[in-house]
């Protein structure tokens, strides 16, 4: 069944589905080894150059997949360079392009076991908004483990289950070395902080998410804030401002290097979730 976008969808989701080029953005570097390749400004995606191939972090929706492919080629890479596809959580705007990217690259798709099961049991809750249809459901090849890093080349990504937005949201942490200064930076992306699925109205209709996940989100937030992060990346660019410096990166200037952003970002998302509680 072909993918469609309901005429009732609000902007920017409807625009992203039907006219994704209106949100087009050129790829840009954010850290010594990581590049933004979402192709559009609404939902993020990144590639990490490990020296032994690329790791793709999230895939956007199917309609913007061609923009992601174009971004990767513009950076001088090929689809065959992608060796792993990591999905942060089971919402269509983050995994909708995964089947396409898997087909183009042959790379295995990773997701948490919790969200893999969530996606299979209640697919209608992964399609935010609910009247969007899948191209096809993805097959998850491997699950994350907080005890075992995902390693490719000289990059090791530490995963951390951080539920709330979905039952299996996964956050990512990895270290990169500046080739000019020799400094090492910890880069991180939270798996999902959307308050839209952590409010009482949503819980009243959800078959799977409960207020317990919201409490887990609050408790995890206090622990996450204590993790030192030098470069914090957003899964949606409106969560942490990165577009204002797109294209300005150099190893010497490090425009995204700020170890205060991570804790401030988490505090702000907690505040937003609490503001929606009855």
């Amino acid at each position: 069944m072909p993918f469609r976008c309901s005429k009732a969808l609000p902007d920017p989701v409807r625009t992203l589905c039907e006219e994704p080029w209106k949100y087009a953005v050129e790829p840009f570097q954010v850290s010594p080894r990581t590049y933004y390749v979402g192709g559009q400004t609404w939902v993020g995606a990144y590639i990490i150059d490990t020296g032994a191939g690329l790791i793709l972090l999230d895939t956007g929706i199917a309609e913007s997949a061609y923009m992601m492919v174009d971004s990767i080629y513009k950076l001088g890479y090929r689809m065959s360079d992608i060796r792993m596809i990591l999905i942060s959580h089971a919402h269509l705007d983050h995994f909708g392009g995964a089947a396409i990217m898997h087909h183009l690259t042959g790379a295995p798709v990773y997701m948490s076991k919790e969200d893999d099961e969530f996606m299979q049991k209640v697919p209608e809750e992964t399609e935010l908004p609910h009247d969007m249809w899948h191209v096809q459901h993805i097959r998850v090849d491997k699950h994350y483990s907080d005890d075992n890093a995902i390693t490719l080349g000289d990059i090791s990504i530490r995963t951390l289950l951080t539920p709330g937005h979905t039952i299996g949201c996964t956050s990512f942490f990895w270290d990169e070395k500046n080739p000019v200064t020799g400094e090492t930076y910890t880069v991180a992306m939270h798996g999902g902080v959307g308050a839209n699925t952590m409010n009482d109205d949503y819980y009243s209709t959800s078959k799977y998410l409960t207020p317990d996940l919201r409490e887990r989100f609050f408790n995890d937030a206090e622990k996450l804030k204590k993790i030192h992060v030098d470069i914090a990346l957003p899964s949606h660019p409106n969560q942490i401002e990165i577009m204002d410096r797109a294209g300005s990166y150099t190893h010497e200037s490090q425009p995204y290097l700020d170890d205060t952003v991570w804790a401030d970002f988490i505090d702000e998302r907690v505040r937003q979730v609490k503001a929606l509680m009855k």
Side-chain angles (χ1 to χ4, degrees), residues 105-275:
T105 67
V109 176
Y110 289 68
M111 183 186 282
S112 69
K113 180 180 179 181
E114 291 80 1
D115 261 11
D116 189 5
E117 293 175 353
F118 170 60
M119 182 172 59
Q120 304 304 323
K121 291 180 179 179
V122 282
E124 67 274 15
E125 289 192 35
T126 71
E127 301 178 348
L128 302 176
H130 291 185
D131 51 3
M132 296 169 66
W133 292 356
H134 289 287
V135 175
Q136 64 182 75
H137 286 292
I138 61 170
R139 184 195 71 202
V140 175
D141 299 293
K142 297 184 180 182
H143 294 139
Y144 303 126
S145 168
D146 289 358
D147 297 325
N148 298 301
I150 296 171
T151 300
L152 182 66
D154 55 8
I155 297 290
S156 288
I157 299 180
R158 306 176 296 281
T159 62
L160 188 62
L161 183 67
T162 48
H165 185 50
T166 67
I167 197 168
C169 275
T170 300
S171 296
F172 307 94
F173 304 84
W174 65 98
D175 295 331
E176 299 180 11
K177 188 175 182 179
N178 187 319
V180 173
T181 67
E183 296 176 307
T184 297
Y185 312 130
T186 297
V187 186
M189 191 188 89
H190 195 289
V193 293
N196 58 321
T197 61
M198 289 188 280
N199 61 77
D200 294 329
D201 288 339
Y202 188 87
Y203 294 140
S204 68
T205 61
S206 176
K207 298 177 182 178
Y208 219 71
L209 274 65
T210 68
D212 290 342
L213 285 174
R214 182 171 58 197
E215 290 306 310
R216 169 72 184 267
F217 177 78
F218 292 150
N219 292 333
D220 284 346
E222 293 305 311
K223 299 175 184 176
L224 288 171
K225 283 163 46 179
K226 297 177 182 178
I227 299 175
H228 180 87
V229 173
D230 298 294
I231 299 173
L233 302 178
S235 59
H236 285 269
N238 66 348
Q239 296 170 353
I240 299 174
E241 180 57 71
I242 59 173
M243 293 297 168
D244 61 341
R245 285 154 283 175
S248 67
Y249 179 92
T250 67
H251 293 317
E252 293 82 3
S253 66
Q254 289 297 323
Y256 299 103
L257 180 63
D258 186 340
D259 63 7
T260 68
V261 170
W262 176 251
D264 289 345
F265 156 69
I266 292 173
D267 279 338
E268 172 58 21
R269 301 313 295 192
V270 167
R271 185 197 65 77
Q272 290 187 23
V273 172
K274 287 183 176 180

